[in-house]
Amino acid sequence: MQSLHVVKIGGNIIDDPLKLYQFLEDFSALDGLKVLVHGGGKIASAIGQQLGIEPKMMNGRRITDEETLRIVTMVYGGLVNKNVVAQLQAFGCDSIGLTGADANIIQATKRPVGEINYGFAGDIKGPESINTAILTAFLQNSLTPVLAPLTHNGQGTMLNTNADTIASSIAVALAQNFDVHLMYCFEKKGVLRDVNDDASVISSVSKEEYAQLKEEGIIAAGMIPKLDNAMKAIQEGVQSVYICHADDVLEIVKHKAALGTKLYT
Amino acid sequence: MQSLHVVKIGGNIIDDPLKLYQFLEDFSALDGLKVLVHGGGKIASAIGQQLGIEPKMMNGRRITDEETLRIVTMVYGGLVNKNVVAQLQAFGCDSIGLTGADANIIQATKRPVGEINYGFAGDIKGPESINTAILTAFLQNSLTPVLAPLTHNGQGTMLNTNADTIASSIAVALAQNFDVHLMYCFEKKGVLRDVNDDASVISSVSKEEYAQLKEEGIIAAGMIPKLDNAMKAIQEGVQSVYICHADDVLEIVKHKAALGTKLYT
């Protein structure tokens, strides 16, 4: 099967025009098939506040009320997504910006109201919610999909959806047709053994080692959801997951540099 | 060749949720291949004003400065485009929202600064600026392209572009591969012989009749750019152009109702 890289960049890169430009140049230079998934960044909150809409958070998670949904739809799906695509085109990477609604790529369900009402937050059921056929057709047409963190419910409503989850769901679904490598890019060099020491990157973690690192409390609490998600993707057919600095993507893919943290079965 | 309808809806429909919903239901029910091009509507100006950015106009045309470009990119490319696509998906029409940057569908050039500096306004050179191959591939994959009034310059910058021009450029380019019918939908029943009489619709206009109507001053000044554009599309290979009420699209296409104004060679 052909190799495919699914690369996710977070809000910290989106928020910094210079970092974003550098990252997109590197991403454009990656050989072979690829998909980019981007987070939202703080710009949605900033524009929301300018419009008099205060960000609503609960347990560190954003509450997407109707006004917030309008903001994230325009900022993530319009401003961020289209500027990323235009820049990739300038670097010679023929990309296509998509939300889950476009070509029905990701259908999600509105999160049920429990103790907290998250509002218009979308949960992806599994690979069956992903339109693998059309994504594969785009890739075969030499297009690089660029996904915003938005899905739809199939009934006319957009839904705000976590970009990490979109990246792993897409990676798992496409693992039916490709050898998928999933890369989570952020502002650290990888998973750190000591959160205060940027040089303490754990270079590789097998499934067994992961269980042990968690048990020993070496993996920081904040990283656990990300790593659980990554391990789940591997169990469901993804070849490997990298957690690495955005600056290192090209080195890792093109020059097989031993940077970042590689998770594998 | 297969028949294809390129349908353009203006800002008046975009601005009215109920009218838009009804139009999208009708559009979804159109048989065969189709493309939707939407204008921007007043919502960009409204959001801009909320953000403290006053719309800048010159001779009735919008000046797109850098701040305005950000607004139209997020409102046209995000808010409007994605909500239209999500609603079409709900009606069972598998659509894909696109700006000119996506899949490099429309590359434009920034309008040269003359007496007026229009800012980030994009001019489309001609059918060679349209990526006909990928649009055709989408249509063959049963996808309905939904185009926002935005293009890009190929160097990383989005450009604000007139939706009528996008519709006619797309129609002419696709006339290489399809029997194209271009439909401009607005809030009047068609081209009126008497602007004060909504019942005075001119039902069909040939190329010769058009020259005569213009000479006689029967066609109102405001309609001339639209009709010149329409006649040009016909001369360049489009089969017919309809100028009609948004409510009448389904009747015209499905039931061949003699509504609106039909332009032909």
Side-chain angles (χ1 to χ4, degrees):
Chain A
M1 286 199 287
Q2 260 186 296
S3 179
L4 168 72
H5 287 91
V6 175
V7 180
K8 187 255 167 177
I9 47 166
N12 286 326
I13 301 162
I14 295 292
D15 285 332
D16 184 329
L18 279 180
K19 275 189 198 163
L20 179 61
Y21 182 91
Q22 185 57 54
F23 170 80
L24 294 176
E25 189 172 17
D26 288 352
F27 179 80
S28 297
L30 295 182
D31 293 327
L33 304 178
K34 54 202 174 191
V35 173
L36 181 62
V37 180
H38 63 80
K42 298 199 185 83
I43 189 171
S45 298
I47 290 176
Q49 280 176 311
Q50 279 184 279
L51 292 170
I53 299 157
E54 289 300 317
K56 292 157 198 83
M57 307 294 283
M58 190 79 82
N59 299 345
R61 301 191 74 162
R62 185 189 290 277
I63 305 294
T64 310
D65 60 7
E66 203 170 329
E67 281 180 320
T68 305
L69 180 65
R70 279 168 58 91
I71 305 281
V72 298
T73 300
M74 66 187 194
V75 174
Y76 301 165
L79 189 62
V80 173
N81 191 265
K82 298 315 162 193
N83 281 319
V84 164
V85 168
Q87 190 57 62
L88 287 175
Q89 292 289 355
F91 286 130
C93 172
D94 194 3
S95 55
I96 181 166
L98 301 163
T99 67
D102 297 298
N104 194 25
I105 282 197
I106 315 170
Q107 209 174 104
T109 48
K110 188 166 173 291
R111 190 168 304 156
V113 177
E115 282 182 35
I116 299 175
N117 180 359
Y118 287 102
F120 295 95
D123 290 325
I124 302 171
K125 275 190 193 151
E128 71 274 17
S129 304
I130 311 292
N131 190 340
T132 312
I134 199 77
L135 279 171
T136 301
F138 291 158
L139 290 164
Q140 285 166 345
N141 268 297
S142 304
L143 288 174
T144 294
V146 176
L147 302 184
L150 295 163
T151 58
H152 75 135
N153 71 349
Q155 285 144 39
T157 302
M158 297 298 293
L159 294 169
N160 195 3
T161 302
N162 181 274
D164 282 2
T165 311
I166 288 184
S168 63
S169 304
I170 289 283
V172 168
L174 288 170
Q176 296 166 32
N177 297 342
F178 302 96
D179 276 340
V180 177
H181 303 276
L182 172 59
M183 307 186 81
Y184 286 111
C185 300
F186 70 150
E187 67 285 4
K188 296 271 180 192
K189 289 278 176 190
V191 179
L192 303 179
R193 195 169 281 277
D194 172 359
V195 284
N196 298 311
D197 178 5
D198 277 353
S200 68
V201 175
I202 303 171
S203 64
S204 74
V205 184
S206 69
K207 211 172 73 179
E208 288 73 28
E209 287 166 338
Y210 178 58
Q212 204 180 326
L213 286 166
K214 263 211 299 195
E215 208 175 277
E216 291 171 12
I218 288 169
I219 289 173
M223 283 301 285
I224 290 176
K226 211 180 205 49
L227 291 175
D228 278 351
N229 217 355
M231 274 298 168
K232 191 162 169 281
I234 286 172
Q235 279 161 6
E236 293 174 353
V238 172
Q239 298 286 310
S240 66
V241 180
Y242 286 86
I243 295 179
C244 62
H245 198 287
D247 291 348
D248 294 338
V249 164
L250 190 57
E251 281 298 305
I252 294 170
V253 176
K254 202 158 188 170
H255 306 295
K256 314 286 174 208
L259 296 167
T261 301
K262 181 182 180 178
L263 284 80
Y264 60 99
T265 46
Chain B
M1 286 199 287
Q2 260 186 298
S3 180
L4 168 73
H5 287 90
V6 176
V7 180
K8 187 255 165 176
I9 47 165
N12 286 323
I13 300 160
I14 294 292
D15 286 331
D16 185 329
L18 278 180
K19 275 189 196 162
L20 180 60
Y21 182 91
Q22 185 57 56
F23 170 81
L24 294 177
E25 188 171 20
D26 287 353
F27 179 80
S28 297
L30 295 183
D31 293 327
L33 304 179
K34 55 202 172 187
V35 173
L36 181 62
V37 181
H38 63 79
K42 297 197 186 84
I43 189 171
S45 299
I47 289 175
Q49 279 176 309
Q50 278 183 276
L51 292 170
I53 299 157
E54 290 299 317
K56 292 158 198 82
M57 308 294 282
M58 191 78 81
N59 299 345
R61 301 191 77 163
R62 184 189 291 275
I63 306 293
T64 311
D65 61 8
E66 204 171 328
E67 282 180 318
T68 306
L69 180 65
R70 280 168 58 90
I71 306 282
V72 297
T73 300
M74 66 186 194
V75 174
Y76 302 165
L79 189 62
V80 174
N81 191 265
K82 298 315 162 192
N83 281 318
V84 164
V85 168
Q87 190 58 61
L88 287 174
Q89 292 289 357
F91 286 130
C93 172
D94 194 3
S95 55
I96 180 165
L98 301 163
T99 67
D102 297 297
N104 194 25
I105 282 198
I106 314 170
Q107 210 174 102
T109 48
K110 189 165 173 289
R111 190 168 304 155
V113 176
E115 282 181 40
I116 299 174
N117 181 357
Y118 288 102
F120 295 96
D123 290 325
I124 302 171
K125 276 191 189 149
E128 70 275 16
S129 304
I130 310 292
N131 190 341
T132 313
I134 199 77
L135 279 170
T136 301
F138 292 157
L139 290 163
Q140 285 166 344
N141 268 298
S142 303
L143 287 174
T144 294
V146 175
L147 302 184
L150 295 164
T151 58
H152 75 134
N153 70 351
Q155 286 144 37
T157 302
M158 297 297 294
L159 294 169
N160 195 3
T161 302
N162 181 275
D164 282 3
T165 309
I166 287 183
S168 63
S169 303
I170 289 282
V172 168
L174 288 170
Q176 296 166 31
N177 298 342
F178 302 96
D179 276 341
V180 177
H181 303 277
L182 172 60
M183 307 186 82
Y184 285 111
C185 301
F186 70 151
E187 67 285 4
K188 296 273 178 190
K189 289 277 176 190
V191 178
L192 303 177
R193 195 169 281 278
D194 172 358
V195 284
N196 299 311
D197 178 5
D198 277 351
S200 68
V201 175
I202 303 171
S203 64
S204 73
V205 183
S206 69
K207 209 172 74 177
E208 289 72 30
E209 287 167 338
Y210 177 58
Q212 205 179 328
L213 285 167
K214 265 214 295 197
E215 206 175 279
E216 290 171 12
I218 289 169
I219 290 174
M223 283 301 283
I224 290 177
K226 213 182 201 52
L227 290 175
D228 278 350
N229 216 357
M231 273 298 168
K232 191 163 169 279
I234 286 171
Q235 278 160 6
E236 293 174 353
V238 171
Q239 298 285 310
S240 66
V241 180
Y242 286 86
I243 295 178
C244 63
H245 198 289
D247 291 348
D248 294 338
V249 165
L250 189 58
E251 281 297 304
I252 293 170
V253 176
K254 200 158 189 170
H255 307 294
K256 313 286 174 210
L259 296 167
T261 300
K262 181 183 180 179
L263 284 80
Y264 60 99
T265 47

